[in-house]
Structure formats: C-alpha cells, structure tokens
Amino acid sequence: MKNTIWPNCLSSSLVRNAFIFVLFIMTSCKEKITETEVAKTSVTQLDYPIQPVPFTSVAIRDDFWTPRLETNRKVTIPYNFKKCEETGRLRNFAIAGGLEEGDFEGIFFNDSDVFKVIEGASYSLQVHDDSKLKSFLDELIAKIAAAQEDDGYLYTNRTINPDKAADGAGDKRWTNLQTYHELYNVGHLYEAAVAHFQATGERSLLEVALKNADLIDQVFGAGKNMGVPGHQEIEIGLVKLYRTTGEKKYLELAKFFIDQRGNAEGHNTTEGKYAGKYQQDHLPLAEQEEAVGHSVRAGYFYSGATDVAALTGETAYDNALDKIWNDIVHQKIYLTGGIGAEPKHEGFGPDYELPNATAYTETCAAIALMLWNHRMFLKSGDVKYMDVFERTLYNGFLAGVSFEGNTFFYPNPLEVDGVSKFNQGVCGRSPWFDCSCCPVNVVRILPSLPSYMYAVKGDEVYVNLYIGNETEIPLESGNLQLAQTTNYPWEGSVKLEILNKNAISAVLKLRVPGWARNRVMDGDLYHYNDDHSPTITVSINGETSNTSIKDGYITLENNNWSPNDKINISFEMPVRKVVSHELVAANRGKIALERGPLVYCAEEVDNPVGVLDLQIPEEEMLNYSFDSELLGGIGKIKGQTITAIPYYAWAHREIGEMSVWLKQKSMP
C-alpha cells in the first residue's frame, strides 16, 4: 500500500509560529482525567440494561473485515483530512482564529465534516498507536480552539466575516435554526471530543466542547430560547458529554431538544414556526407514529431519543419509537437496509413506495439506521434490531466506500442504466462531494465496528456479529476471554474458543441471523419464495448440543467453562430468492438474490446482454462459488442466464447496467 498521505496545511513554519501561543495555552488542558472526575462519571444510575463491549476490548482478526479496517486507517482517514484541507475546511478554523487571513470557504456546515474525521481518527488511535496522526490532531485541535469565541461559540461560517457568511447566515446567532446547523455542527464536535479524550486522555478538544455545551445550555431551555436544531445530532453528542463528565445538565439539555420538537410555544427560532415533517417537527415525538422527512435527521433523532429514554427512565417515547421502527421495517426499508426513497428531500416516501433506480438510500442514512437499531437492541434485547443492523452493515453501508478507500457513494441506488448520472459521476463512486457528509461519516463507523459485536447483561454474553476476533469481556463472574474464528459472510461456520486459564461461569447467547431463521426481516415487506429452513448445528468440544432457538438466540448455559473449550456453530447458507410485498410496485414480477447476510446484484460486465431486461426462469438452478481472483476474493451466484456478485462490491469495474431486483420468467 502506498505511503499514507497527510495534508500539508499544518506543516509550514508560518502556520506553526502563528499558533504556538495557542498550543502553549492549551497545554494545561492535557492532563489525564482526575480521580474526582472518574468518581463523577460513575454516578450514572439508569442506563441500557444491556451494555456493549467496548471496541477497544475486541481485536478483529478477520479475512473479510481486517482489510477494510486497515484501508480505512491507512487511506480513508488521511484522504478525508487531505480533502478537508484542499476544500478549505481546515483553513476555515485558522481564519476564524486569526491565524490566517481570508474568507469562509464552502458550505455553512463544513465544520462538522472535520469533526467527524477527528472522531474516526481518534477511534483509530485507540487501537493503533500513530504518533504522526497524534501530532496532526494536536495541531488541528489548536486551530479549532483558536476559532472558538470567548464565550464558547464555535461556528466558523459566522465568526470569520458575518457580512460574507455562506447562505446569508449573517451576524445574528441562533437565527433560522432550521437551516444554519450551528447545533448540528457542535453535536459532531462533542462526539469527536469524547473520542479524542478517550484515545489520548488529553482534554484539549474536550475543553472546547464543554465550553460550547455550557454556552448552549445557557442559551437554550425552558424560559430561554425554545428552538430546536434543524438537523438533529446534538442530542447524541450531549449524551456522550454526560457519560464522560457526569454533568446531568448535558443529559437534561438533550432531553429538552427531544421534547421540544413539535411541541412548544415560541418554537423554532424567533419566527415561531414549526419546521414540519421534513425535520420530524410536526408533532411531539410521543405522538409520532410513522417515519417521515429527511432520513438522516430522523435516524439521529430516534437514536438520541433512545439514549435519553435509557438514561432518564423516560417511557413516553417507547410506543412512538416502536411504531416508527415498524413503519420503516414493515413498509419503507430497502432490501439492502437502505432508507430514504425520495431524492427530492433525501428521505422517506409513502408506504411501499420503494423505486430502485431513484432510490436515494444515503450512506449517512444507513449509518443512522445502524446507530438506532443497536440502541434499540441494547434497550430491549430483541434480535430483530440486530438483524436490521447486520443487513445494513453488509449491504447499504458497505457499498458506500470503495475497496480502495478513496471513492464513495452518497446515494446507493438498487438499479442503474449505465448512462444516467448520479453522485456527480457516471455510475461510479466519486472522490468527494461539495456536501461530503458521507465520506467523513464512513471513517468513524469502521474503526468502531468491534463495539457492535458483543454485549453483556450480568453474566449473559450476546454474540451478535460473526467476525474473527479475540476479546476480553467483563462479567460479574470475572473476565471472559474469547476467540472467534470464521470465514463469514462466505461461510456459515463459526468457532468460539474459551481462552481463560481458569474455569469461568458465563451464559453465551448466540444470535441466529434472520436469514438463518428463514426471515428476511421482521414483518412481511420481503420474504423468501421457498419454504426451506436452513440447518443450524451447534457442538461443544465435538459433541452436538441443543440448538433450540428462543427469541432469536441459542443459549448455552455453563457454570464452568473450561480453558480451551470450543463451541462450533454452523449455519447452512443456501442461495435464496426474495420477493416483495405485492404493494411494492417497483418489484412486481421480480426476485432478488441473497446468500447469508449478503444481498446480490447483477452487473452488465458479468452479463453482457444487460441486466435490466434479463429474465431468470423460475426453475433455474442457482449455484454459489467463491472466486479468489475477482475483486480480491468474493462469492458469486451463477445460473445459466445470470452471474451475480454482492451488492457492496458493485461499481468497481466497467460502467454499465446494474440491478438488485431481476425479472423472473414464469414457467408456461
């Protein structure tokens, strides 16, 4: 792999000298967390009943995922920083801080892109020591600190020159909250600050975040500014600040923003107007029953609300969140786990309206859906949420970044004609976008992937994702040391081995994926068109064990797991044909192909006659094989009339037609 490419904007002596003083001042903010603060963070009483195992406790060693995580670390993170430099995103902070001269460059929410890459880089630092990256972040954080105004305000678009603020933001703070993203930007700042603090123990960025959050808390709340952010995200960030500091005011402010949506007198800036369904601002959350509006805003909103409910004991949201989830999964989600059918507002359309060629299915929306479903699982333990998480992870999310790690999808359509333009390119991933929320979002999800694999409740260990790794999981009975070996998603065999030197008590709950339970997803939006039920076997130290499935899990109880005990799970992985609910007009008379967690698609490069008019005979036999020479090694489905590859791997070769849903020719 080529040498890592870092931006050079922080390398010149001119810039370094300009903010040496800022670095000096910030030195006092780099102490490790104090014992008092540790005690403070432990006072949290309410929380999710199921707790995730931190990604720092899980070391992935996996033929499928390790290359993707390494590409993200070595290519995608530095590439994103380099693009942020080239497009003025980094320089905006230097200009706002008086370190350089110039005007604001770009879109009014570009600050958030930088924060997201910092978050991803900080996650990477937690598992890979990188002094060059650490130094780069130190200098970048100094710029951000310099850009912050004395009272904590941080929004370079307005600070640099209000008379030339992008999109007419002007000089008055908190005006048109629906549009200007002051609160959205700093939500990502808070997430980045917590990640950086966890990675380094240094408070440089955390102090910037806390100073800003204290300002927001002074401005917003009951009897003060009653507005809410146009683009939700700050709620998630505030919860992370609360978890890090123990300061309850941050949690209360997050709850204020949740409760205020669609609810208050004098609401939404000085105009006192509701933003409507586009921003989920048409009704109080507790009264909402369907997914509407911008899909990324929605996913972040529901994630923040689920956090707040778990940490405060609030039950008023529960019914609404359940109804909204059912509305999405039963009527508005694509087979790939993508959400957001409507390009015109990047969001949800009417029930069962799921066009393939114009599917927006933004990469950021897939990420938001994953974040929410993981939280819903932690709150309930229901397997259906991890089924959606896995489907979205392997399909709707993973397609958003190339194998090379430096080109991206914004929308992720399920059909292209090989001619029409999207993504500012022709049927292919793009190196960047004017609005580049998706590339910078990818970099923070991949390094944190291990945190979604395991979860704990008492001495119960939920094994939710099958990825090769070694982990140490804290339980009431001690620390469970566990190794997982698998060739998933290409094969359904998984081996778990106990690595403890002494016996340990633990209950292992092995998730049986929805596809292995003969369920595409919860509800009847999609179903397999055969009655085959994949075989599932479990053995312990070579002896077949009970494989009864309860609530989507195989539960193995053992009060005395011994060193080197081995558990083997085998999920049969047949090729499956999927059909849609009859109300999905775009898919009538069509089938889609799946194997294991992967959705497949047909590309013209493998099917020279084209794929949009291709008809698969109803009786055609479809076979699976692994091609180690194709695209670094991928599985293929082949029949007499078709060759299909995993959807995440499309658009890496020749430009041409592509389709997930394929016409089926009925028998005469």
Side-chain angles (χ1 to χ4, degrees):
M1 185 172 289
K2 294 182 180 179
N3 291 332
T4 299
I5 301 173
W6 289 102
N8 58 24
C9 63
L10 298 176
S11 300
S12 71
S13 59
L14 177 64
V15 174
R16 285 180 181 274
N17 291 337
F19 60 78
I20 285 176
F21 180 71
V22 176
L23 281 171
F24 174 76
I25 292 298
M26 292 173 63
T27 302
S28 61
C29 297
K30 291 189 172 184
E31 300 89 359
K32 301 289 184 178
I33 189 167
T34 66
E35 293 181 3
T36 301
E37 287 167 326
V38 170
K40 198 174 187 180
T41 61
S42 67
V43 301
T44 302
Q45 299 296 319
L46 295 170
D47 208 334
Y48 288 104
I50 301 171
Q51 287 290 303
V53 175
F55 71 89
T56 50
S57 298
V58 183
I60 287 184
R61 298 181 177 91
D62 183 84
D63 289 344
F64 185 88
W65 282 108
T66 296
R68 301 307 290 260
L69 270 63
E70 282 295 282
T71 298
N72 186 71
R73 180 173 71 91
K74 295 180 178 179
V75 178
T76 313
I77 291 173
Y79 177 84
N80 272 262
F81 274 133
K82 184 172 182 289
K83 298 303 289 187
C84 284
E85 175 198 6
E86 292 174 354
T87 57
R89 284 166 166 83
L90 304 188
R91 187 166 176 261
N92 284 336
F93 290 102
I95 297 170
L99 307 176
E100 296 184 31
E101 295 183 354
D103 294 324
F104 179 88
E105 183 177 350
I107 303 174
F108 53 89
F109 50 79
N110 276 3
D111 290 359
S112 66
D113 293 340
V114 178
F115 299 144
K116 280 186 273 188
V117 189
I118 292 174
E119 183 185 351
S122 297
Y123 291 148
S124 182
L125 273 182
Q126 292 188 53
V127 291
H128 290 280
D129 187 34
D130 186 333
S131 59
K132 189 174 181 180
L133 174 57
K134 170 64 167 57
S135 296
F136 176 84
L137 290 178
D138 286 346
E139 295 184 357
L140 177 54
I141 290 168
K143 281 188 169 186
I144 294 170
Q148 186 169 37
E149 298 186 21
D150 290 342
D151 64 352
Y153 189 72
L154 183 57
Y155 184 60
T156 65
N157 181 41
R158 182 169 285 131
T159 298
I160 290 173
N161 186 346
D163 294 335
K164 295 184 179 180
D167 295 274
D171 63 354
K172 192 172 183 180
R173 298 177 180 181
W174 326 120
T175 54
N176 196 354
L177 290 173
Q178 299 175 28
T179 301
Y180 289 135
H181 284 29
E182 291 158 287
L183 302 180
Y184 167 80
N185 283 1
V186 296
H188 281 298
L189 165 67
Y190 304 163
E191 292 204 72
V194 169
H196 180 263
F197 173 66
Q198 292 172 339
T200 66
E202 296 172 1
R203 299 179 60 90
S204 52
L205 190 58
L206 184 62
E207 290 297 337
V208 174
L210 294 176
K211 188 175 181 180
N212 179 268
D214 289 344
L215 172 66
I216 302 296
D217 184 58
Q218 292 168 17
V219 172
F220 291 88
K224 297 179 280 190
N225 189 320
M226 304 287 280
V228 295
H231 195 311
Q232 299 93 316
E233 153 59 36
I234 193 173
E235 302 86 352
I236 297 173
L238 284 166
V239 167
K240 289 190 176 183
L241 288 184
Y242 165 66
R243 287 186 178 280
T244 302
T245 66
E247 286 286 354
K248 198 168 183 180
K249 65 181 179 181
Y250 300 134
L251 177 61
E252 292 171 346
L253 184 57
K255 189 175 189 301
F256 167 80
F257 284 133
I258 297 292
D259 291 340
Q260 193 68 5
R261 209 160 201 89
N263 207 11
E265 181 181 352
H267 168 73
N268 213 17
T269 76
T270 56
E271 292 84 2
K273 297 178 181 177
Y274 290 89
K277 290 184 176 181
Y278 174 70
Q279 296 175 1
Q280 299 79 43
D281 194 25
H282 56 300
L283 289 169
L285 174 58
E287 298 176 21
Q288 295 187 29
E289 297 184 351
E290 60 177 345
V292 295
H294 190 273
S295 54
V296 183
R297 286 171 164 85
Y300 287 166
F301 180 38
Y302 309 145
S303 296
T306 308
D307 276 345
V308 168
L311 289 165
T312 65
E314 177 64 77
T315 60
Y317 313 148
D318 291 351
N319 190 46
L321 291 171
D322 287 343
K323 287 183 177 180
I324 292 167
W325 189 90
N326 286 335
D327 182 57
I328 292 174
V329 176
H330 295 183
Q331 298 169 121
K332 293 176 178 173
I333 193 171
Y334 282 89
L335 187 64
T336 57
I339 55 172
E342 296 286 349
K344 61 184 178 182
H345 65 263
E346 302 182 343
F348 299 103
D351 294 348
Y352 302 107
E353 186 173 296
L354 295 166
N356 295 307
T358 58
Y360 202 72
T361 50
E362 184 181 342
T363 301
C364 283
I367 289 170
L369 186 67
M370 289 161 60
L371 296 176
W372 182 36
N373 273 272
H374 186 241
R375 285 164 165 80
M376 291 291 277
F377 162 75
L378 296 176
K379 196 168 186 293
S380 67
D382 198 319
V383 73
K384 66 183 181 182
Y385 301 117
M386 291 309 299
D387 287 342
V388 172
F389 182 98
E390 181 183 68
R391 175 172 294 274
T392 307
L393 171 68
Y394 280 95
N395 302 287
F397 163 74
L398 195 55
V401 58
S402 66
F403 294 145
E404 296 78 13
N406 58 6
T407 54
F408 311 89
F409 277 146
Y410 197 121
N412 292 270
L414 280 72
E415 176 185 304
V416 297
D417 60 14
V419 177
S420 302
K421 292 185 179 182
F422 68 95
N423 275 345
Q424 301 175 1
V426 181
C427 301
R429 293 174 182 82
S430 293
W432 198 246
F433 311 96
D434 290 338
C435 172
S436 263
C437 53
C438 294
V440 297
N441 223 350
V442 166
V443 304
R444 69 192 189 113
I445 295 302
L446 283 170
S448 62
L449 174 62
S451 64
Y452 303 105
M453 293 175 55
Y454 299 101
V456 174
K457 183 179 183 180
D459 277 341
E460 294 181 336
V461 177
Y462 291 83
V463 182
N464 278 324
L465 296 177
Y466 296 109
I467 297 172
N469 73 91
E470 290 187 7
T471 184
E472 185 166 350
I473 302 172
L475 304 174
E476 292 177 351
S477 57
N479 289 351
L480 173 66
Q481 297 173 355
L482 191 67
Q484 184 180 154
T485 307
T486 183
N487 197 28
Y488 197 93
W490 309 123
E491 297 175 7
S493 297
V494 181
K495 181 176 78 173
L496 299 171
E497 183 175 0
I498 306 298
L499 301 180
N500 292 69
K501 294 182 180 180
N502 300 305
I504 187 170
S505 174
V507 177
L508 299 181
K509 299 179 75 68
L510 312 177
R511 175 176 159 265
V512 180
W515 56 265
R517 305 194 318 273
N518 211 31
R519 297 290 300 273
V520 180
M521 277 182 281
D522 191 69
D524 63 354
L525 183 56
Y526 304 105
H527 64 274
Y528 298 117
N529 72 345
D530 57 53
D531 56 3
H532 180 75
S533 293
T535 301
I536 303 167
T537 60
V538 177
S539 65
I540 300 176
N541 297 327
E543 296 185 7
T544 302
S545 179
N546 178 22
T547 57
S548 62
I549 302 170
K550 182 178 180 182
D551 299 326
Y553 288 88
I554 296 171
T555 300
L556 303 178
E557 297 191 36
N558 195 326
N559 294 325
N560 196 32
W561 289 108
S562 299
N564 302 315
D565 275 351
K566 295 177 178 63
I567 302 103
N568 289 87
I569 322 158
S570 180
F571 303 111
E572 182 189 4
M573 275 191 176
V575 175
R576 307 298 297 271
K577 295 178 181 178
V578 182
V579 294
S580 293
H581 193 289
E582 61 181 8
L583 292 178
V584 183
N587 298 337
R588 289 178 189 148
K590 297 181 179 180
I591 61 167
L593 305 178
E594 289 188 358
R595 183 177 181 272
L598 298 176
V599 175
Y600 280 68
C601 70
E603 283 192 284
E604 189 174 346
V605 64
D606 299 314
N607 303 274
V609 298
V611 299
L612 300 186
D613 294 320
L614 181 69
Q615 292 190 336
I616 302 177
E618 191 173 27
E619 70 279 10
E620 181 167 342
M621 294 294 295
L622 298 171
N623 299 303
Y624 169 81
S625 63
F626 186 81
D627 188 338
S628 60
E629 301 299 319
L630 180 60
L631 297 173
I634 61 170
K636 297 191 299 188
I637 294 174
K638 296 193 70 173
Q640 288 186 335
T641 63
I642 187 174
T643 297
I645 66 169
Y647 174 76
Y648 78 82
W650 84 278
H652 280 95
R653 296 172 290 168
E654 299 175 14
I655 293 171
E657 296 178 355
M658 182 281 294
S659 188
V660 169
W661 290 95
L662 305 161
K663 295 177 181 177
Q664 180 164 268
K665 183 179 180 180
S666 300
M667 295 177 62

